[in-house]
Amino acid sequence: MKTPRLKILIAQINTTVGDLEGNRDKIIAALRFAKESHADLVTFPELAINGYPPEDILHKDYFVLDNLNILKTLVSQTKGIAAIIGFVDRDKKKRLYNAAALIVNQKIRAIYHKIHLPNYGVFDERRYFTPGTVPVIMDLGRFSLSVTICEDIWRKDSYVYQRGYRGKASLLVNISASPYHTHKQTERQKLIKNLAVKTRSTVIYHNLVGGQDELVFDGGSMAVNASGRTLGEAKRFMEDFLTIDLGSQKPARLPTPLGHQAEVYQALVLGTHDYIQKNNFKKVLVGLSGGIDSALVACIAADALGPKNVVAVTMPSPYTSQETYQDAKLLAKNLSIQCLKFRIHKIFKQYLTAFKGVFSGHPPDTTEENLQARIRGNVLMALSNKFGHLVLTTGNKSEMATGYCTLYGDMAGGFAVIKDVPKTLIFGLARYRNSLGASPVIPTSILKRPPTAELRRDQTDQDTLPPYSLLDRFLELYVEKDMSIEAAVRRGIPKAIAIKTARMVDRNEYKRRQSPPGIKITPKAFGRDRRMPITNRYRL
């Protein structure tokens, strides 16, 4: 049987939370493009008018009313075309719904309310929305069209998987705002193919793209027919218009799959770019130590914002080696970024002199080490205050997990780019970035040197921490998978290391709570994902 024709444009746009007018303009531009492309139907992501997630802005009545007025404006722009647009709906009892409007030729034909509201991990939708109760299926040309929103297709008890639903819709559209973490796209591809086959529908999966605070939405929208064949897939980590011509014999448009390190790096670049741009900053400051963490952050910042918008700051102390200082300067030169130098020797000496009487009789310890980190934090924040640049912190997930970082020191800043990146992956990302150019931008000596904070003589990270290969494996089990110490030991982690590391993780929640937001790239990140009490006497 010949498939009827229907040309669909998936408008994978980058929306901004609260920017109703800006989001409206993007939607109108996409509608115009869809008409010029002779599309019959154009789809937009979940809560396209509002941006996702709008969080407590939803408690403001006027925000909801403004969003409804924007929807009316958009309805008037749909002459000669059908559109599915995500918005916030409200009933007479002022209950809110995560909704999708099905508009055909300047008339709203149906409104669907999301039935399954996620309330786990980074999601809090039950805090704001009332779940819908009624699926929507309507005719669009020779197709029966069903609209779902994100979680509706992830829940195995969802109505879309029930036997009575099978075959009812020849076209199932899912508008979504699905955040990125490693291997997420593979999960989506498997889910959508299974859904298409089970429902006997062509499935249009439309994902959001862009950064929103800690979250990165990676796009990768796709279409899969009822036999499980992919008809097309949108680009990742960028805006894209994907045309799906049902009934046509055109070959599928499939982007080259991204490797693990490539997709993580692109997520970090997009998340950094959008956080800076959407919050109206122009330039960033990076404390450049000559170590691998700050080197990677500087690369990400330069790629996200352009070299002219990145200012590196070297702050050598009495314990900074000539090698690391020279590496920091060489990296800045390779990236073509401005590099400022502030020697902190005199300031550090003044602190020691001021505390000499009080500290008398107490040997030097981490107090003196942390003083250096806090001096550097003060330097960076002074530059930030004076010039309006945002400070990017350079701590990784391994350090944040164990508290191997200094409050009001290296934790001082506005955005923590690699906060959710384990140290072992930091090395992989640095090598990946070096592979992109004709010659390495990160000096190879940085990659080879044992990690060190250089806050005392002959210091290395492993004086305090377990080997990173063991540490990161334990953190994956204990933090991301919530396994017990005993379970981690059964999986090869030495018991002494497991006990020591678990204690470090547990007692440093107070530090993490005071850290800047940072980009989520793992299945469970500190902050929105993992919400532990600071005052907590339970110990495994």
Side-chain angles (χ1 to χ4, degrees):
M1 182 178 175
K2 190 175 180 181
T3 304
R5 294 292 297 271
L6 187 74
K7 192 172 184 179
I8 303 168
L9 180 75
I10 300 174
Q12 183 176 283
I13 58 174
N14 185 342
T15 59
T16 300
V17 168
D19 186 8
L20 300 181
E21 290 76 17
N23 297 338
R24 173 203 63 199
D25 292 346
K26 284 198 170 194
I27 293 170
I28 290 174
L31 285 167
R32 188 179 302 117
F33 179 83
K35 292 176 186 179
E36 292 170 355
S37 303
H38 305 291
D40 303 298
L41 170 67
V42 56
T43 64
F44 294 93
E46 181 176 6
L47 296 184
I49 291 176
N50 318 85
Y52 189 94
E55 300 185 273
D56 281 11
I57 308 176
L58 291 167
H59 292 320
K60 300 181 184 295
D61 284 346
Y62 39 88
F63 174 74
V64 177
L65 289 173
D66 286 346
N67 126 95
L68 292 171
N69 287 329
I70 293 287
L71 178 64
K72 291 177 183 177
T73 300
L74 294 174
V75 169
S76 70
Q77 301 294 313
T78 60
K79 185 176 182 179
I81 198 168
I84 298 173
I85 301 175
F87 74 107
V88 175
D89 198 14
R90 185 170 72 172
D91 65 15
K92 292 179 180 179
K93 295 182 179 179
K94 293 192 174 182
R95 293 176 298 195
L96 302 183
Y97 299 90
N98 185 335
L102 287 74
I103 308 163
V104 180
N105 196 22
Q106 298 180 307
K107 290 184 180 180
I108 295 179
R109 288 272 303 276
I111 290 177
Y112 171 72
H113 293 158
K114 186 175 182 179
I115 292 175
H116 294 289
L117 302 177
N119 219 63
Y120 56 85
V122 301
F123 302 106
D124 284 308
E125 291 199 21
R126 291 182 194 170
R127 176 180 172 91
Y128 311 104
F129 297 121
T130 298
T133 56
V134 182
V136 168
I137 299 178
M138 59 171 273
D139 292 333
L140 184 66
R142 295 173 62 187
F143 287 83
S144 54
L145 168 66
S146 175
V147 175
T148 59
I149 301 177
C150 203
E151 188 76 4
D152 290 327
I153 64 171
W154 288 90
R155 288 273 297 269
K156 294 307 176 186
D157 60 344
S158 172
Y159 65 92
V160 299
Y161 294 105
Q162 294 175 7
R163 184 173 297 177
Y165 184 83
R166 191 175 302 164
K168 282 193 172 182
S170 55
L171 179 63
L172 191 160
V173 175
N174 180 266
I175 62 171
S176 187
S178 176
Y180 169 79
H181 65 68
T182 51
H183 311 301
K184 184 71 173 184
Q185 185 69 352
T186 302
E187 294 177 30
R188 296 187 193 116
Q189 290 166 338
K190 183 178 178 181
L191 175 81
I192 301 306
K193 288 185 178 182
N194 178 63
L195 175 66
V197 172
K198 282 198 171 185
T199 59
R200 300 172 188 162
S201 307
T202 294
V203 176
I204 302 295
Y205 173 77
H206 186 147
N207 194 26
L208 177 65
V209 70
Q212 172 59 31
D213 296 344
E214 300 101 319
L215 303 180
V216 169
F217 299 93
D218 55 315
S221 304
M222 68 190 84
V224 177
N225 70 12
S227 64
R229 183 172 70 88
T230 301
L231 304 177
E233 188 171 319
K235 296 174 183 176
R236 308 273 305 282
F237 305 105
M238 64 179 69
E239 291 188 313
D240 193 16
F241 287 161
L242 175 64
T243 299
I244 303 297
D245 200 345
L246 300 182
S248 167
Q249 299 303 312
K250 291 181 180 179
R253 195 193 92 180
L254 301 174
T256 303
L258 296 172
H260 174 56
Q261 292 167 355
E263 72 169 28
V264 171
Y265 192 84
Q266 288 193 27
L268 295 171
V269 168
L270 176 59
T272 301
H273 174 274
D274 279 11
Y275 190 84
I276 304 306
Q277 295 294 323
K278 291 181 180 182
N279 286 291
N280 297 315
F281 288 97
K282 297 293 188 293
K283 293 188 176 185
V284 296
L285 292 156
V286 180
L288 212 55
S289 67
I292 194 166
D293 295 326
S294 62
L296 181 62
V297 170
C299 289
I300 292 166
D303 290 342
L305 307 170
K308 67 179 182 180
N309 294 314
V310 180
V311 179
V313 185
T314 63
M315 295 165 283
S317 79
Y319 304 110
T320 301
S321 69
Q322 189 63 22
E323 290 80 7
T324 54
Y325 173 62
Q326 292 299 328
D327 280 345
K329 289 206 305 180
L330 179 57
L331 174 71
K333 180 181 177 182
N334 291 344
L335 288 173
S336 300
I337 60 178
Q338 182 183 2
C339 188
L340 306 177
K341 179 181 178 181
F342 288 86
R343 290 173 61 87
I344 67 168
H345 300 61
K346 290 183 179 180
I347 304 173
F348 181 45
K349 188 175 181 179
Q350 288 174 329
Y351 267 102
L352 295 180
T353 300
F355 285 114
K356 187 175 181 179
V358 178
F359 288 176
S360 178
H362 296 272
D365 55 16
T366 54
T367 306
E368 286 77 10
E369 295 176 26
N370 289 339
L371 274 175
Q372 297 165 70
R374 291 187 175 115
I375 291 167
R376 289 172 173 142
N378 271 330
V379 170
L380 289 169
M381 291 310 302
L383 293 170
S384 175
N385 288 163
K386 183 61 68 176
F387 301 109
H389 306 339
L390 185 74
V391 176
L392 301 182
T393 64
T394 60
N396 60 63
K397 187 170 190 174
S398 310
E399 295 170 343
M400 298 301 297
T402 55
Y404 192 63
C405 46
T406 304
L407 273 175
Y408 327 118
D410 57 332
M411 292 175 67
F415 195 58
V417 176
I418 56 172
K419 179 181 182 178
D420 195 37
V421 184
K423 186 74 169 191
T424 47
L425 181 54
I426 294 287
F427 281 94
L429 293 175
R431 293 188 182 95
Y432 166 76
R433 179 59 182 83
N434 273 356
S435 73
L436 298 181
S439 59
V441 290
I442 300 175
T444 54
S445 51
I446 290 180
L447 292 165
K448 293 178 180 179
R449 185 184 305 116
T452 172
E454 287 195 321
L455 298 174
R456 65 173 186 269
R457 297 197 186 283
D458 302 319
Q459 181 183 26
T460 69
D461 290 2
Q462 266 57 69
D463 296 340
T464 305
L465 302 176
Y468 280 117
S469 57
L470 283 174
L471 172 59
D472 288 351
R473 174 61 178 151
F474 176 76
L475 294 176
E476 179 187 7
L477 299 173
Y478 186 69
V479 174
E480 295 180 18
K481 297 183 178 179
D482 284 316
M483 289 187 182
S484 66
I485 291 173
E486 290 75 15
V489 170
R490 288 195 297 270
R491 284 161 177 78
I493 305 296
K495 187 173 183 178
I497 287 178
I499 292 172
K500 175 185 176 182
T501 308
R503 287 174 178 168
M504 294 174 80
V505 171
D506 292 347
R507 70 171 177 252
N508 280 291
E509 185 62 33
Y510 78 99
K511 276 191 180 181
R512 291 189 291 271
R513 195 72 67 89
Q514 299 178 69
S515 66
I519 301 164
K520 168 185 164 67
I521 62 106
T522 65
K524 182 176 283 189
F526 291 116
R528 292 180 72 106
D529 262 341
R530 188 178 188 268
R531 308 177 195 184
M532 300 296 285
I534 295 173
T535 305
N536 170 25
R537 290 189 176 181
Y538 181 76
R539 296 289 182 264
L540 289 174

